[in-house]
Amino acid sequence: MRKNIVAGNWKMNLDLNQGIQLFNEIQELLKVELSGEQEVIVCAPSIHLSSLAKSLEGSSKLSIGAQNCHQADSGAYTGEISASMIASSGAEYVIIGHSERRLYFSESNELLAQKLDVVLKNGLFPIFCIGETLEQRNGGTYFDVIKEQISEASFHLDGANYSKLILAYEPVWAIGTGLTASPEQAQEIHLFIRTLLAEKYGQTLADNTTILYGGSCNPKNAAELFAQADIDGGLIGGASLKARDFVDIIKALN
Ligand code: 13P
């Protein structure tokens, strides 16, 4: 079932105390102010996950996610974190394929395919990111790039597994730059993604897949983006580090 979701990606920000404080502030605001059907996910640094899970109140509309995991089940990979560890922390989601992982950690579509497998095998839900660079947008190859990222990393999955994915379109040129994709630009790609899903898995799965927009989304531009037919919510970086801004973005999704 297609859902309305806003997910925060804290990236490598906030120490544990700051993280718990922000999480509790978000939770308090949501309790009072959230009346709609939105679901909210906070993707925190892995080392914070179990503490956040303990702060989570039963009735909360919040869930917790990680920002990455290793592709192997377990083993001699010093410093890495497995999907089963993330699941045991109380998190339910994992961001896979964020452009910062692709760029700074050389994560390929082939590697991301393995990561999607291990995340699903461990009962977690992937938030799978795709998006083109400024060069690719200006060069006019962005549809090809998006198609390649999606097909190479995720089209090996069967429909039952695919239905567990949340997709996030994050144009690299819009991340942390203050340059938001216009609602029309974002909608064009979201519709394109849904069309690719329909061709591969059928219209029902495509219609039921949640596709988030990410990239300089803030309380001012969120409503217009979320109003687009194929935009089902947002993946929020900088603005998710302030409880007021994050909750205002969530409230813009109705
Ligand atoms: P900003 O909202 O800071 O542009 O970051 C978006 C993002 O990368 C979320 O994953």
Side-chain angles (χ1 to χ4, degrees), residues 9 11 98 100 170 174-177 214-217 235-239:
N9 176 8
K11 308 191 181 183
H98 193 282
E100 287 151 16
E170 297 206 306
I175 295 177
T177 58
S216 297
C217 192
L235 180 55
I236 318 299

Side-chain angles (χ1 to χ4, degrees), residues 145-208:
V145 171
I146 301 290
K147 185 174 182 180
E148 192 173 289
Q149 289 175 341
I150 292 191
S151 59
E152 289 186 5
S154 70
F155 276 2
H156 65 290
L157 297 171
D158 62 21
N161 271 315
Y162 214 97
S163 64
K164 296 172 187 159
L165 263 62
I166 296 167
L167 267 56
Y169 169 56
E170 297 206 306
V172 179
W173 49 272
I175 295 177
T177 58
L179 270 182
T180 318
S182 70
E184 295 75 24
Q185 284 173 321
Q187 166 60 21
E188 182 184 41
I189 300 293
H190 281 235
L191 177 60
F192 176 64
I193 293 169
R194 219 179 282 289
T195 307
L196 291 175
L197 299 184
E199 282 167 8
K200 172 74 181 170
Y201 294 103
Q203 196 62 47
T204 306
L205 184 141
D207 287 342
N208 284 334

Side-chain angles (χ1 to χ4, degrees), residues 29-78:
L29 286 174
L30 290 181
K31 234 190 293 183
V32 180
E33 299 185 18
L34 197 63
S35 52
E37 292 294 304
Q38 307 97 319
E39 294 192 14
V40 183
I41 305 165
V42 166
C43 297
S46 297
I47 198 165
H48 299 356
L49 295 176
S50 58
S51 300
L52 298 188
K54 285 192 193 104
S55 306
L56 199 57
E57 293 169 13
S59 59
S60 171
K61 311 213 179 215
L62 264 178
S63 305
I64 300 164
Q67 301 170 10
N68 175 42
C69 74
H70 195 269
Q71 66 275 19
D73 285 324
S74 63
Y77 301 103
T78 301

Side-chain angles (χ1 to χ4, degrees), residues 27-153:
Q27 199 157 220
E28 285 308 308
L29 286 174
L30 290 181
K31 234 190 293 183
V32 180
E33 299 185 18
L34 197 63
S35 52
E37 292 294 304
Q38 307 97 319
E39 294 192 14
V40 183
I41 305 165
V42 166
C43 297
S46 297
I47 198 165
H48 299 356
L49 295 176
S50 58
S51 300
L52 298 188
K54 285 192 193 104
S55 306
L56 199 57
E57 293 169 13
S59 59
S60 171
K61 311 213 179 215
L62 264 178
S63 305
I64 300 164
Q67 301 170 10
N68 175 42
C69 74
H70 195 269
Q71 66 275 19
D73 285 324
S74 63
Y77 301 103
T78 301
E80 290 293 329
I81 290 164
S82 73
S84 68
M85 292 171 191
I86 291 168
S88 71
S89 75
E92 293 175 72
Y93 297 87
V94 188
I95 296 175
I96 294 293
H98 193 282
S99 61
E100 287 151 16
R101 302 288 321 169
R102 293 177 188 261
L103 183 64
Y104 304 136
F105 302 92
S106 304
E107 295 197 354
S108 64
N109 292 329
E110 193 185 10
L111 176 75
L112 298 175
Q114 294 171 34
K115 291 193 177 201
L116 287 176
D117 287 342
V118 80
V119 166
L120 290 162
K121 195 169 102 184
N122 284 279
L124 294 161
F125 299 99
I127 302 173
F128 173 50
C129 301
I130 58 254
E132 81 285 0
T133 63
L134 187 59
E135 202 181 15
Q136 290 161 340
R137 172 148 290 259
N138 289 341
T141 58
Y142 53 102
F143 286 107
D144 296 335
V145 171
I146 301 290
K147 185 174 182 180
E148 192 173 289
Q149 289 175 341
I150 292 191
S151 59
E152 289 186 5

Side-chain angles (χ1 to χ4, degrees), residues 2-5 194 209-212 229-234 253:
R2 188 154 152 191
K3 292 175 176 168
N4 287 334
I5 296 175
R194 219 179 282 289
T209 301
T210 299
I211 309 177
L212 310 180
D230 289 288
I231 300 182
D232 307 312
L253 179 64

